[in-house]
């Protein structure tokens, strides 16, 4: 049986918005980096998998924040894996301040893929990933919600460029979230609010393609779909602000 | 007489490009964060100046890198101020690996501005900024080179959005550099190269405006000008790669 592991961070100046508080995309980036470092430390990181022709791909991701920490504030991210089915593993996170007060939480679901075929393969393929790495602690919030197709209007177009891509020349996960936040009016970010984001990744996009962000409002939330110009749906997301 | 001060960093996953090495924009961000933290630690940071209606504004900036460190590599940034005229102060940086080998260097020139008037004011206005804070060590490379107007073609358009702006709703310095790098072909970043960037900031741009990146090649270098759609020039830059 594995244990939860905690990593220390600080809200660096490049992670804050015009209110001088961490952005949701920036905290999301730190959450995903924590996943990478924790997998590496426990022997099932991409450094071990890539030479075997495999990699982790984020399938679904949810984040909730009760508040957003100010610039230079130290905080901790605690992470644990609590589920592993044939094709999906669930990794959880809580974010706490230095007094131990939890201000955010996240649930992520990952596939193992064959890099050459870009297809999911069974998690049983990797011996390292067995019960020794599962922590029998419940997820700290709802798993990523179900998201269906939307009839949104076009909000933003972005040609995939140098700063957007990973080592496979695919768009970095967090850049999709950046683009959605870039369509929201600044007034959404003033004052105090709680926020939840759910996102499903459906298809990868790559250098040379142009992304189009479609969006609409429904039941007080903001729904998004990002497609390439040929109509392929890359991801769907919902962002809700509660005041 | 002041001394040089050194700050420790690591190449985090969000700082690397598709070659898994730190990007020039990301290292530039860390250099500017170091300037902010060092000014704060020495008593003349924006935390002290803003309540007095003043702030630092970056006027000119040059960076040189002999190589770019790989993901997760620790490195140090050493900084010192070596000049202070009536309206400009010069802050220097060297970047070294953990063996002390210097792989990068930078010179930045800053104005003190009156925030309400958005105009430069004399550096003698702040008592904290006197000879006690000057280190009599030469700059580690050429100061930012002179940059003149260019006749470039339009390469990229970008509507200023949530992720681009600082607490004044002005575009963050590093976002201009991101946009220039986004116009360069990926082949520029493959293999080993040395790179130098010079940039002059002329006018601020803000939320609601659209930026247009113009560029041309001259004497083996890439020259850029970023203007708002009303023709105001925000900055000029030159980037040269040497193989």
């Amino acid at each position: 049986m594995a244990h939860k592991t905690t990593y220390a961070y600080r809200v660096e100046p490049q992670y804050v918005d015009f209110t001088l508080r961490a952005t949701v995309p920036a905290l999301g980036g730190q959450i995903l980096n924590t996943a990478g470092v924790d997998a590496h430390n426990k022997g099932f990181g991409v450094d071990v998998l890539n030479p075997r022709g495999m990699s982790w791909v984020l399938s679904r991701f949810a984040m909730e924040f009760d508040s957003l920490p100010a610039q230079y504030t130290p905080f901790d991210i605690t992470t644990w894996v609590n589920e592993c089915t044939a094709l999906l593993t669930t990794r959880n996170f809580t974010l706490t301040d230095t007094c131990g007060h939890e201000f955010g939480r996240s649930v992520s679901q990952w596939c193992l893929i064959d890099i050459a075929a870009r297809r999911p393969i069974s998690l049983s393929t990797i011996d390292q990933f067995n019960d020794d790495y599962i922590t029998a602690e419940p997820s700290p919030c709802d798993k990523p919600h179900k998201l269906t197709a939307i009839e949104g209007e076009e909000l933003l177009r972005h040609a995939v460029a140098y700063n957007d891509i990973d080592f496979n020349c695919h768009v970095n996960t967090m850049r999709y979230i950046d683009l959605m936040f870039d369509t929201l009016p600044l007034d959404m970010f003033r004052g105090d609010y709680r926020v939840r984001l759910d996102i499903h990744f459906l298809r990868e996009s790559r250098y040379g393609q142009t992304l189009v962000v479609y969006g609409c409002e429904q039941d007080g939330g903001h729904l998004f779909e990002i497609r390439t110009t040929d109509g392929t749906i890359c991801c769907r997301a919902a962002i809700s602000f509660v005041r």
Side-chain angles (χ1 to χ4, degrees), chain A residues 7 9 28-42 44-46 56 58 61 77-81 91-93 108 110:
Chain A
Y7 297 86
Y9 297 94
Q30 295 298 65
I31 288 169
L32 296 183
N33 290 344
T34 305
V37 168
D38 194 61
H40 166 75
N41 289 346
K42 293 177 179 167
F44 49 89
V46 289
W56 292 114
L58 182 60
F61 188 33
I77 300 181
T78 297
T79 186
W80 69 101
V81 173
R91 179 181 279 281
N92 306 283
F93 309 85
S108 60
W110 302 76

Side-chain angles (χ1 to χ4, degrees), chain A residues 109-198:
Chain A
Q109 297 179 306
W110 302 76
C111 294
L112 185 67
I113 63 153
D114 176 298
I115 292 173
R118 305 300 301 172
R119 291 200 164 273
I121 49 179
S122 170
L123 283 160
S124 63
T125 312
I126 47 172
D127 316 328
Q128 293 96 328
F129 207 71
N130 57 38
D131 281 356
D132 290 350
Y133 295 94
I134 303 291
T135 304
E137 289 276 345
S139 292
C141 62
D142 282 1
K143 286 188 185 165
H145 295 160
K146 193 172 168 64
L147 298 171
T148 52
I150 64 164
E151 292 295 328
E153 60 171 320
E154 178 178 328
L155 301 176
L156 185 71
R157 238 162 224 262
H158 176 75
V160 175
Y162 171 68
N163 282 294
D164 301 323
I165 56 173
D166 67 15
F167 65 99
N168 280 315
C169 296
H170 292 125
V171 171
N172 275 313
T173 305
M174 292 310 303
R175 289 295 290 141
Y176 294 111
I177 299 178
D178 281 337
L179 290 173
M180 294 173 197
F181 273 76
D182 274 349
T183 71
L184 295 170
L186 290 196
D187 281 345
M188 301 298 301
F189 304 100
R190 298 185 207 274
D192 293 325
Y193 54 88
R194 287 186 291 132
V195 58
R196 178 176 166 105
L197 177 143
D198 293 87

Side-chain angles (χ1 to χ4, degrees), chain A residues 3 5 20 40 53 55 62 82 110 128 139-141 148 159 168-169 182 185 201 208 214-215 220 226-227 236-237 241:
Chain A
H3 296 283
T5 309
L20 295 178
H40 166 75
S55 194
N82 69 346
W110 302 76
Q128 293 96 328
S139 292
C141 62
T148 52
N168 280 315
C169 296
D182 274 349
F201 298 98
Y214 296 87
I226 298 186
R227 302 178 205 149
R236 292 190 181 124
F241 292 79

Side-chain angles (χ1 to χ4, degrees), chain A residues 55-117:
Chain A
S55 194
W56 292 114
V57 167
L58 182 60
S59 172
R60 298 180 177 201
F61 188 33
M63 299 186 272
E64 283 184 8
F65 300 102
D66 307 328
S67 62
L68 294 159
Q71 184 168 264
Y72 296 126
T73 304
F75 65 98
D76 287 330
I77 300 181
T78 297
T79 186
W80 69 101
V81 173
N82 69 346
E83 273 188 32
C84 185
T85 64
L87 291 177
L88 270 187
T89 176
T90 302
R91 179 181 279 281
N92 306 283
F93 309 85
T94 54
L95 290 85
T96 46
D97 64 22
T98 49
C99 299
H101 174 75
E102 181 181 309
F103 66 88
R105 53 207 73 81
S106 172
V107 182
S108 60
Q109 297 179 306
W110 302 76
C111 294
L112 185 67
I113 63 153
D114 176 298
I115 292 173

